[in-house]
């Protein structure tokens, strides 16, 4: 393992030299060969946690591919709602693939060195797809709002074409804005340290290592955090306010219960994705006692890795159309096994 502690003297002297070089010539940009990911330094039973993450990754890959496959092969699911569900499954698959294998390599396989360019790529991919995750959950809220608030016009408002355009805009926005945020990281000089205290090449822990002005990077991180989290969450809240108004206008209790029941799986996704992240950031802002760094890294890693694993399971178990397709597939397999 590339351990920072084993190279303290060499790294310290190199950083001192680079810092003096940056001080003498501010136009020189210092990019180290790479960074050391050093989260979970004092976490007890850390190996068990990483084995658990390996299990989470396998489940995430299997279930997301399964959901994508079912949506592709069943023509009855070729509608705007399941286009959005399939999009979420693709995003979940890429998101966990971007994070968990790298964590296993760094902390379980004892190889925590990440080359500089690979670090920038991982940062870009992670934040692009965590942004898409947030917006994709908001798109599913839009689908429920149109279905419940405009039941007679649902088919004409929420078409395959309109859903394709919405998802295309989200992909272009998320991939485009993160190109800018990753590009400005290359305008920093990293001559103070190369130790990133996180579970991957995280944006804020990396730009805090810079020895020149990082005001722009801090501002971009703050603004994008608000846009990526609070923007979609605000839309989801407004959507459900509209849904509740429409539901309470319905005359029969049975119709109200049936309408709200269609929102169950989506509300679970909202709770699983948004609540842990908001709680972590609120505790960080409001708590008088500074939380343990390892506990914060653990909480953030769980908040990043668990939703992409749970999302396809929730839709497999709670969505009638997918559940019926799964049961049909198992019946066919059972019949084939009996016949053989």
């Amino acid at each position: 393992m590339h351990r920072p502690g084993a190279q303290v003297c060499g790294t310290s002297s190199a950083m001192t030299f680079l810092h003096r070089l940056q001080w003498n010539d501010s136009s020189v940009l210092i990019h180290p060969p790479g960074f050391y990911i050093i989260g979970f330094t004092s976490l007890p039973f850390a190996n068990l946690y990483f084995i658990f993450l390996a299990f989470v990754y396998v489940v995430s890959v299997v279930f997301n591919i399964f959901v994508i496959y079912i949506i592709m092969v069943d023509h009855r699911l070729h509608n705007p709602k399941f286009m959005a569900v399939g999009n979420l499954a693709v995003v979940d698959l890429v998101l966990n693939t971007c994070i968990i294998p790298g964590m296993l390599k760094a902390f379980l396989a004892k190889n925590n060195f990440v080359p500089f360019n690979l670090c920038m790529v991982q940062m870009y991919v992670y934040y692009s797809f965590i942004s898409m995750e947030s917006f994709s959950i908001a798109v599913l809220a839009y689908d429920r709002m149109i279905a419940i608030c405009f039941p007679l016009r649902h088919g004409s408002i929420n078409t395959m074409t309109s859903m394709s355009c919405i998802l295309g805009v989200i992909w272009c926005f998320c991939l485009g804005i993160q190109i800018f945020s990753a590009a400005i990281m290359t305008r920093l000089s990293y001559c103070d340290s190369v130790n990133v205290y996180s579970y991957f090449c995280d944006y804020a822990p990396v730009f805090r290592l810079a020895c020149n002005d990082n005001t722009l990077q801090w501002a971009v991180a703050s603004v994008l955090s608000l846009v990526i989290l609070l923007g979609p969450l605000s839309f989801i809240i407004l959507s459900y306010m509209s849904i509740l108004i429409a539901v309470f206008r319905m005359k029969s209790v049975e119709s109200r219960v049936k309408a709200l029941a269609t929102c169950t799986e989506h509300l679970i996704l909202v709770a699983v994705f948004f609540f842990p992240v908001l709680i972590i950031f609120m505790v960080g802002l409001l708590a008088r006692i500074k939380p343990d760094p390892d506990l914060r890294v653990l909480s953030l890693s769980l908040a990043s890795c668990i939703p992409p694993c749970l999302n396809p399971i929730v839709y497999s178990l709670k969505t009638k159309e997918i559940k019926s397709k799964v049961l049909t597939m198992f019946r066919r397999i059972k019949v084939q096994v009996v016949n053989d």
Side-chain angles (χ1 to χ4, degrees):
M1 178 180 181
H2 295 280
R3 293 184 180 276
Q7 303 178 14
V8 171
C9 294
T11 302
S12 177
S13 59
M15 288 298 103
T16 302
F17 170 76
L18 293 174
H19 197 284
R20 287 174 180 171
L21 179 62
Q22 171 69 20
W23 181 265
N24 293 330
D25 187 357
S26 59
S27 65
V28 175
L29 291 176
I30 307 299
H31 291 168
F35 297 99
Y36 295 96
I37 311 300
I38 59 167
F40 307 105
T41 53
S42 60
L43 184 71
F45 308 110
N47 284 346
L48 292 178
Y49 175 62
F50 300 126
I51 293 171
F52 166 73
L53 283 185
F55 172 76
V56 166
Y57 181 63
V58 171
V59 171
S60 175
V61 169
V62 170
F63 273 87
N64 278 300
I65 291 177
F66 189 59
V67 168
I68 294 167
Y69 171 76
I70 288 175
I71 293 172
M72 288 179 63
V73 300
D74 192 341
H75 294 284
R76 294 172 299 173
L77 301 182
H78 292 180
N79 57 54
K81 175 185 175 180
F82 286 99
M83 179 185 288
V85 172
N87 172 74
L88 181 64
V90 172
V91 171
D92 287 336
L93 189 60
V94 176
L95 186 58
N96 263 2
T97 300
C98 168
I99 290 296
I100 296 181
M103 291 178 66
L104 299 179
K105 169 181 170 289
F107 302 111
L108 200 59
K110 311 300 184 185
N111 184 5
N112 66 340
F113 180 77
V114 181
F116 183 86
N117 290 336
L118 184 59
C119 180
M120 296 296 113
V121 169
Q122 186 189 41
M123 187 187 299
Y124 169 73
V125 173
Y126 173 80
Y127 280 102
S128 293
F129 281 86
I130 201 73
S131 306
M132 287 186 209
E133 177 95 356
S134 183
F135 282 102
S136 297
I137 295 174
V139 169
L140 289 168
Y142 162 79
D143 172 79
R144 291 297 83 212
M145 180 184 69
I146 299 298
I148 294 172
C149 297
F150 307 99
L152 299 179
R153 298 171 56 197
H154 176 246
S156 60
I157 296 174
N158 193 20
T159 63
M160 292 289 282
T161 302
S162 64
M163 182 59 74
S164 299
C165 291
I166 290 170
L167 295 177
V169 168
I170 288 172
W171 276 70
C172 291
F173 172 76
C174 294
L175 293 174
I177 198 68
Q178 296 302 337
I179 287 177
F180 173 73
S181 66
I184 60 176
M185 293 293 284
T186 63
R187 306 309 301 165
L188 293 175
S189 287
Y190 302 93
C191 49
D192 281 339
S193 174
V194 291
N195 298 333
V196 179
Y197 200 93
S198 186
Y199 56 100
F200 75 110
C201 278
D202 203 352
Y203 196 83
V206 171
F207 78 63
R208 289 193 185 108
L209 301 179
C211 52
N212 55 346
D213 183 31
N214 59 17
T215 304
L216 175 60
Q217 287 75 13
W218 183 89
V220 168
S222 302
V223 171
L224 288 184
S225 297
L226 293 174
V227 171
I228 290 166
L229 288 176
L230 297 186
L233 183 59
S234 299
F235 178 81
I236 291 168
I237 292 170
L238 291 173
S239 298
Y240 276 99
M241 288 174 64
S242 302
I243 288 171
L244 288 175
I245 291 170
V247 166
F248 284 118
R249 286 177 177 171
M250 296 176 182
K251 294 181 179 180
S252 69
V253 176
E254 184 181 352
S255 298
R256 295 176 183 177
V257 172
K258 187 177 179 181
L260 291 175
T262 63
C263 302
T264 306
E265 64 267 19
H266 181 257
L267 287 171
I268 294 172
L269 302 192
V270 172
V272 168
F273 179 75
F274 286 101
F275 286 2
V277 176
L278 290 175
I279 290 170
I280 291 166
F281 280 105
M282 290 301 291
V283 169
L285 288 173
L286 302 177
R288 295 183 179 180
I289 301 174
K290 189 175 180 180
D292 179 71
D294 270 345
L295 183 61
R296 185 177 181 277
V297 172
L298 174 65
S299 303
L300 284 172
S301 63
L302 282 172
S304 297
C305 299
I306 296 300
C309 174
L310 291 182
N311 290 347
I313 297 174
V314 169
Y315 265 97
S316 298
L317 297 178
K318 296 294 293 182
T319 305
K320 181 177 65 177
E321 295 90 342
I322 293 181
K323 190 160 58 175
S324 63
K325 179 64 178 178
V326 172
L327 292 174
T328 303
M329 289 176 63
F330 277 117
R331 288 194 195 101
R332 288 176 181 173
I333 293 171
K334 186 177 179 181
V335 169
Q336 289 177 355
V337 170
V338 171
N339 292 336
D340 291 342

